[in-house]
Amino acid sequence: MSLKYRVIPVTPFEQNCTLLWCTETHKAAVVDPGGDLDRIRAAAKAEGVTLEKILLTHAHIDHAGGTAELAKSEELPIEGPHKEDNFWIQGLAMQAQMFGFPAPEVFTPNRWLEDGDTVTVGNETLEVLHTPGHTPGHVVFFHRGSKLAQVGDVLFNGSIGRTDFPKGDYNTLIHSIREKLFPLGDDVNFICGHGPMSTFGQERATNPFVSDHRG
């Protein structure tokens, strides 16, 4: 495997922050550093990798709360999410108040991502899919070589992302899952923002919200 990963649950929401690294260069990206940065740094040290950048699927606080601090302390560029999530970044203090998190610093990504863009981790390339519905600027990272997707809070093992937050939309989310994610292949493994991993095939067969057999 040219791309390896380690899932690091962070914050009281048990958000699946992921350390992704290229086995050739030992360069790594941190996907969705919501908090508990010492845990993330310790994982990078244990795996013997060098942090190269931060990738964000979306800007809810449990995914993005530690971004500014980690970017500053480790001198890392921030890539993602899509610019439609900027209002969530600007509202991080409000989110912190709402959910009882310490107020994080607001940041501006070095690069906003669009559908069809690519990002690199060491020598490996991941495709970017814009997948609105949970948030309007949500993106998914897909590594075709290892058939691995980082889907944030779009899709879960047996469930889907919430759509009752500002600018969330149920029909848009279902469209993102069925038209953007499922065509990538039944054999794609995905890391979701919370809970255990699954495959698109399993969700297509059994997920009550998006399966081929639903109502």
Side-chain angles (χ1 to χ4, degrees):
M1 285 274 283
S2 46
L3 188 79
K4 284 193 167 179
Y5 63 88
R6 176 165 166 180
V7 176
I8 310 152
V10 296
T11 83
F13 288 9
E14 290 287 292
Q15 190 275 121
N16 289 332
C17 169
T18 306
L19 187 67
L20 278 181
W21 69 93
C22 160
T23 54
E24 282 177 19
T25 61
H26 300 286
K27 288 185 175 172
V30 179
V31 185
D32 291 354
D36 296 323
L37 300 184
D38 287 347
R39 210 179 284 179
I40 297 167
R41 291 187 188 102
K45 192 175 177 185
E47 298 294 352
V49 297
T50 306
L51 299 182
E52 166 179 59
K53 64 179 63 173
I54 294 167
L55 298 175
L56 293 181
T57 62
H58 65 297
H60 282 162
I61 192 164
D62 54 324
H63 291 256
T67 302
E69 190 185 331
L70 187 65
K72 200 173 279 185
S73 69
E74 309 297 323
E75 298 183 344
L76 304 175
I78 303 161
E79 300 186 12
H82 182 282
K83 59 184 175 295
E84 284 291 324
D85 260 23
N86 190 37
F87 81 103
W88 278 119
I89 297 174
Q90 300 307 319
L92 278 168
M94 176 202 73
Q95 292 189 61
Q97 213 171 359
M98 202 186 299
F99 295 112
F101 278 67
E105 214 177 302
V106 168
F107 58 90
T108 302
N110 299 77
R111 181 187 173 202
W112 297 106
L113 296 174
E114 299 275 346
D115 194 64
D117 281 350
T118 57
V119 296
T120 57
V121 179
N123 294 337
E124 296 301 310
T125 299
L126 292 91
E127 299 165 36
V128 175
L129 297 95
H130 180 213
T131 50
H134 177 65
T135 70
H138 201 300
V139 295
V140 162
F141 300 104
F142 176 52
H143 186 249
R144 200 168 283 272
S146 54
K147 295 189 173 176
L148 179 74
Q150 188 87 36
V151 305
D153 285 356
V154 173
L155 180 66
F156 298 112
N157 185 325
S159 190
I160 58 172
R162 290 175 60 171
T163 56
D164 57 340
F165 292 120
K167 298 192 185 179
D169 184 77
Y170 178 83
N171 291 332
T172 303
L173 182 68
I174 299 299
H175 182 269
S176 289
I177 295 166
R178 292 186 64 82
E179 304 302 322
K180 290 278 186 74
L181 300 189
F182 286 173
L184 298 175
D186 284 352
D187 54 350
V188 172
N189 283 292
F190 67 88
I191 300 167
C192 36
H194 307 265
M197 290 177 66
S198 182
T199 65
F200 291 151
Q202 182 180 321
E203 300 314 304
R204 250 182 66 172
T206 63
N207 187 308
F209 297 96
V210 287
S211 87
D212 291 340
H213 317 294
R214 74 202 193 287

